[in-house]
């Protein structure tokens, strides 16, 4: 797949010079800071030294007073509270966090995760019936609820109150809940709009803690769960999320919860953002994908190490099964696209009745790796077809779905990921309309994956001092990605070779054409570029810099993203 290289706009030179002077930095780090919207010493201080004092007052969020009052009333009157959340990482960490906090004040608690297959996403009538049958008078919905108007009304008719903590886009009609905590409401003046569901739940915990005049230190240990949710839900690592991620990673490395300790196992630390994305999140998600999300909640709220390790082992089994299903369905979907000669279409829409509902989101992401375009993967779910949707960088798939709403039973999600259901007879109509909408609205420049380059950096200019400054840009994530550099006139010193089971990767030793510094480098999925490198001609690379730890030694290594 060909990648389109594009440079970030150059920041104003005066801002770069000012940062160089005020912070005693070289040009490259100062440029990177300016590109991230930092223009003076104070902003740089907040960026490099995140502080818990930078967290906003939770009572700035619309309906927070109402939510706190209702929860405290329930605790005082010993009402039964049901903590209800989605079956993904954001939902299960949210439920676990709220349970661990409220359990300090009341034992009249229950937890509920809907079954992905029999109930689907969000609040279900079955969940409300469970609450009613078991005497719960308050439901706190986390990472869901903003679109569940009918279910919240149904609960109200049964005498059950709702508090909704959500971060998904609200529709024009919102549920009649006691309180709706969602910074994306147009009339909510909360300063930071990019919290994940667990983040919104944490703001309620923070507000309750503040109202009870307890020190913040009492809730700080819960930040490891919020950090996991931020990493898994691919929300921007800016503002409050950056502060939470910074302190959450500290807790993950120093004193993680019992459940997360069991999931991390005995693998080497430090735990970083990538460990959340590639180690913790898939395992937590696998519970809801393969068996039931409650397995994840039970692990994340466990207090016994022996019990936690037994549960983690069970979840590892789910994750292995998920990987096998994922691989086989991807192959079937690719065969379907090729058989139907749909390689040239603007969007991918595929369906098979037997595909496992729990992995179709992963399958959609995998298909984008082959056919880079918005993708919808359907399977049969009861009497309907259910789908997971994934988009390409820059394209708002939620808006595209809105244009197809006449054929959709139900949908919800974000700019880049969504879920929906259609009636079987509407599937062909939806497929045709979605492909048409994407064909008409997807700009040409978004049809191939883009590598966004921060700035040019010749290999000669790389040194440990600069890298130590770059490390302080962590934690990385959306809107604060690891810096990507460009270098021209690069040559391999003759040691380039293909590596990996299928020779799909590269191991290199690179230097500037006229330079003297050598750097070990690795290029994933660049094995096919070997002949270009061995031609002896200088080439261009885009790369990032990382540490390589081997046999007790640490050295700088280049991670090559692409070669031309």
């Amino acid at each position: 797949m060909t990648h389109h290289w594009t440079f970030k706009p150059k920041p104003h030179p005066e801002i770069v010079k000012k940062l160089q002077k005020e912070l005693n930095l070289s040009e490259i780090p100062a440029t990177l800071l300016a590109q991230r919207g930092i223009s003076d010493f104070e902003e740089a201080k907040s960026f490099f030294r995140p502080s818990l004092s930078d967290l906003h007052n939770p009572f700035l969020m619309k309906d927070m007073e109402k939510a706190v009052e209702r929860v405290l009333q329930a605790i005082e009157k010993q009402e039964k509270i049901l903590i209800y959340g989605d079956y993904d990482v954001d939902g299960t960490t949210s439920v676990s966090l709220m349970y661990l906090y409220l359990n300090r004040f009341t034992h009249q608690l229950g937890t509920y995760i809907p079954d992905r297959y029999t109930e689907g996403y969000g609040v279900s009538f079955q969940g409300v019936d469970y609450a009613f049958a078991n005497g719960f008078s308050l439901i706190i919905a986390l990472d869901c609820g903003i679109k569940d108007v009918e279910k919240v009304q149904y609960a109200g008719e049964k005498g059950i109150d709702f508090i909704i903590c959500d971060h998904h886009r609200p529709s024009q009609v919102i549920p009649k809940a006691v309180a709706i905590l969602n910074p994306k409401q147009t009339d909510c003046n909360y300063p930071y709009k990019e919290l994940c569901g667990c983040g919104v739940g944490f703001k309620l915990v923070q507000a309750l803690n503040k109202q009870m005049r307890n020190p913040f230190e009492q809730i700080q240990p819960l930040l490891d769960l919020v950090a996991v949710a931020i990493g898994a839900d691919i929300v921007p690592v800016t503002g409050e999320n950056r502060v939470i991620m910074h302190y959450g990673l500290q807790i993950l490395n120093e004193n993680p919860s019992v459940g997360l300790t069991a999931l991390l196992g005995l693998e080497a630390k430090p735990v970083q953002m990538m460990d959340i994305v590639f180690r913790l999140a898939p395992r937590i998600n696998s519970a809801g994908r393969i068996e039931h999300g409650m397995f994840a909640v039970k692990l994340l709220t466990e207090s016994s190490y022996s019990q936690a390790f037994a549960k983690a082992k069970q979840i590892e089994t789910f994750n292995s099964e998920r990987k096998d299903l994922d691989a086989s369905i991807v192959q079937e979907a690719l065969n379907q696209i090729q058989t139907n000669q749909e390689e040239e279409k603007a969007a991918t829409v595929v369906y098979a009745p037997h595909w496992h509902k729990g992995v179709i989101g992963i399958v959609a992401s995998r298909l984008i790796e082959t056919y880079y375009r918005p993708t919808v993967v359907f399977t049969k779910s009861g009497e309907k077809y259910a789908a997971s949707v994934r988009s390409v960088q820059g394209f708002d798939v939620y808006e595209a779905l809105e244009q197809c709403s006449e054929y959709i039973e139900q949908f919800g999600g974000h700019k880049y990921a969504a879920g929906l259901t259609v009636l079987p007879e509407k599937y062909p109509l939806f497929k045709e309309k979605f492909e048409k909408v994407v064909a008409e609205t997807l700009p040409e420049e978004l049809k191939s994956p883009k590598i966004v380059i921060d700035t040019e950096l010749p290999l000669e200019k790389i040194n440990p001092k600069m890298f130590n400054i770059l490390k302080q840009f962590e934690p990385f994530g959306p809107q604060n990605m690891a810096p990507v550099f460009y270098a021209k006139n690069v040559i391999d010193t003759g040691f380039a070779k293909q590596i990996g089971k299928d020779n799909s990767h590269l191991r290199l030793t690179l230097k500037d054409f006229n330079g003297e510094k050598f750097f070990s480098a690795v290029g994933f999925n660049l094995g096919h570029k070997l002949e270009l490198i061995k031609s002896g001609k200088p080439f261009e690379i885009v790369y990032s810099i990382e540490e390589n730890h081997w046999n007790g030694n640490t050295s700088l290594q280049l991670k090559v993203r692409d070669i031309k």
Side-chain angles (χ1 to χ4, degrees):
M1 190 181 293
T2 304
H3 289 78
H4 176 63
W5 297 8
T6 180
F7 282 87
K8 284 184 183 176
K10 287 188 175 179
H12 197 287
E14 291 303 315
I15 294 176
V16 175
K17 285 179 185 173
K18 182 184 178 189
L19 289 169
Q20 283 184 259
K21 184 179 178 183
E22 290 184 357
L23 300 168
N24 191 26
L25 290 175
S26 62
E27 184 182 356
I28 296 297
T31 299
L32 297 172
L33 282 174
Q35 285 172 326
R36 283 154 175 74
I38 293 160
S39 58
D40 60 34
F41 178 85
E42 286 304 317
E43 289 174 354
K45 183 182 173 185
S46 293
F47 181 78
F48 283 130
R49 303 286 180 269
S51 169
L52 292 169
S53 63
D54 295 333
L55 295 178
H56 301 299
N57 181 346
F59 287 98
L60 294 173
M61 195 175 290
K62 185 190 176 202
D63 280 1
M64 187 60 82
E65 291 90 349
K66 294 177 185 175
V68 167
E69 184 181 341
R70 183 65 186 89
V71 173
L72 292 179
Q73 177 190 321
I75 292 171
E76 184 184 343
K77 294 184 176 179
Q78 285 294 293
E79 294 178 60
K80 291 185 76 176
I81 303 170
L82 186 64
I83 305 168
Y84 191 118
D86 187 24
Y87 39 66
D88 69 359
V89 178
D90 197 11
T92 52
T93 53
S94 299
V95 169
S96 302
L97 174 137
M98 191 62 65
Y99 176 84
L100 289 169
Y101 180 71
L102 292 181
N103 193 47
R104 302 171 187 179
F105 309 104
T106 176
H107 297 306
Q108 299 295 311
L109 296 175
T111 54
Y112 193 95
I113 303 289
D115 186 280
R116 184 189 284 264
Y117 307 103
T118 60
E119 297 171 78
Y121 169 76
V123 179
S124 67
F125 288 114
Q126 190 176 324
V128 175
D129 286 341
Y130 171 86
F132 181 71
N134 288 278
F136 291 97
S137 53
L138 175 63
I139 296 175
I140 302 175
L142 296 142
D143 190 37
C144 62
I146 195 64
K147 288 201 159 196
D148 294 313
V149 177
E150 291 177 3
K151 281 93 167 187
V152 173
Q153 182 180 335
Y154 179 66
E157 290 165 1
K158 290 180 171 290
I160 301 168
D161 286 341
F162 251 93
I163 294 171
I164 293 170
C165 303
D166 206 347
H167 70 125
H168 297 96
R169 288 192 205 179
S171 299
Q172 287 190 336
V173 180
I174 60 170
K176 288 185 167 59
V178 169
I180 295 179
L181 307 179
N182 186 335
K184 289 194 176 79
Q185 293 180 94
T186 52
D187 57 347
C188 178
N189 296 320
Y190 193 72
Y192 190 69
K193 304 292 184 183
E194 302 299 337
L195 294 169
C196 61
C198 192
V200 177
F202 181 76
K203 297 310 292 188
L204 175 54
V205 165
Q206 188 186 355
L208 287 163
N209 202 60
K210 192 180 178 82
Q211 187 72 12
M212 289 189 267
R213 303 186 185 281
N214 292 327
F216 187 86
E217 287 73 22
Q218 287 196 10
I219 59 172
Q220 192 169 336
L222 298 170
L223 290 177
D224 59 356
L225 287 168
V226 196
V228 170
I230 289 170
D233 225 49
I234 322 292
V235 290
V237 184
T238 57
E240 254 187 327
N241 283 344
R242 181 177 168 80
V243 176
I244 292 169
M245 179 61 79
H246 175 84
Y247 286 93
L249 282 170
Q250 275 188 9
I251 295 161
L252 274 172
N253 280 290
E254 292 166 11
N255 190 25
S257 67
V258 173
L260 289 174
T261 299
L263 271 184
L264 286 165
L266 301 174
E267 292 188 47
K269 291 181 179 178
V271 179
Q272 297 175 315
M273 179 69 149
M274 289 299 99
D275 296 294
I276 291 174
V277 175
F278 295 111
R279 281 170 56 195
L280 289 174
R283 286 164 171 80
I284 296 170
N285 258 332
S286 69
R289 292 188 192 284
I290 302 301
E291 195 66 34
H292 199 286
M294 276 307 298
F295 279 91
V297 172
K298 285 174 181 173
L299 169 64
L300 295 173
T301 55
E302 183 57 70
S303 57
S304 157
Y305 278 99
S306 60
Q307 289 293 317
F309 279 100
K311 289 181 170 74
K313 194 173 180 182
Q314 193 174 27
I315 280 180
E316 194 60 51
T317 306
F318 297 151
N319 195 43
S320 297
E321 187 178 339
R322 186 271 307 169
K323 287 179 183 175
D324 293 341
L325 279 168
D326 160 15
S328 63
I329 296 172
V330 167
Q331 193 53 56
E332 287 182 34
L334 289 170
N335 292 342
Q336 190 178 121
I337 293 165
Q338 290 154 9
T339 302
N340 297 333
Q341 298 182 319
E342 294 185 342
E343 291 95 328
E344 301 306 315
K345 289 198 172 177
T348 297
V349 183
V350 288
Y351 162 75
H354 63 279
W355 288 344
H356 197 289
K357 190 179 174 186
V359 300
I360 55 175
I362 301 171
V363 171
S365 298
R366 296 271 190 269
L367 292 178
I368 288 175
E369 292 170 10
T370 303
Y371 299 108
Y372 190 75
R373 57 202 190 192
T375 298
V376 189
V377 179
F378 278 94
T379 188
K380 199 166 192 305
S381 179
E383 298 302 310
K384 298 177 183 178
Y385 290 0
S388 279
V389 190
R390 297 294 182 268
S391 191
V392 297
Q393 190 175 358
F395 184 73
D396 192 331
V397 77
Y398 189 91
E399 285 188 4
L401 291 174
E402 284 185 321
Q403 294 182 56
C404 307
S405 59
E406 64 201 286
Y407 304 120
I408 299 174
E409 283 288 289
Q410 188 179 9
F411 76 100
H414 308 282
K415 179 176 180 177
Y416 293 126
L420 71 135
T421 55
V422 301
L423 295 172
E425 62 270 22
K426 296 284 181 71
Y427 170 73
L429 297 169
F430 168 81
K431 178 178 165 72
E432 183 182 351
K433 181 68 181 284
F434 185 76
E435 288 168 350
K436 184 173 183 285
V437 168
V438 174
E440 291 173 353
T441 58
L442 181 65
E444 193 64 37
E445 65 270 18
L446 300 185
K447 291 181 180 178
S448 60
K450 187 164 59 173
I451 297 179
V452 180
I453 302 162
D454 290 80
T455 189
E456 183 174 354
L457 177 62
L459 306 191
E460 279 291 300
K461 289 190 176 181
I462 299 171
N463 58 61
K465 181 183 176 184
M466 175 191 290
F467 180 73
N468 286 335
I469 294 169
L470 296 184
K471 277 182 75 173
Q472 294 180 54
F473 281 61
E474 296 178 3
F476 296 126
Q479 296 186 28
N480 182 46
M481 301 300 284
V484 176
F485 302 109
Y486 164 81
K488 60 190 174 190
N489 292 324
V490 174
I491 58 169
D492 181 74
T493 56
F495 297 103
K497 65 177 182 178
Q498 293 173 328
I499 58 172
K501 287 180 184 176
D502 52 1
N503 289 331
S504 58
H505 312 306
L506 282 180
R507 170 70 67 190
L508 313 147
T509 305
L510 302 177
K511 67 187 278 293
D512 287 330
F513 185 68
N514 294 315
E516 295 181 1
K517 285 186 179 178
F518 293 82
F519 288 93
S520 174
V522 64
F524 293 107
N525 300 311
L526 294 176
H528 60 287
K529 301 271 188 178
L530 184 64
E531 291 309 310
L532 180 153
I533 290 159
K534 283 192 170 294
S535 69
K537 295 176 184 176
F539 47 86
E540 301 168 279
I541 62 170
V542 286
Y543 68 97
S544 50
I545 312 168
E546 57 187 18
E547 281 180 325
N548 182 33
H549 304 278
W550 180 252
N551 278 349
N553 297 315
T554 300
S555 60
L556 296 185
Q557 173 178 275
L558 309 185
K559 184 179 180 181
V560 180
R561 308 289 184 95
D562 202 8
I563 300 171
K564 290 184 183 177

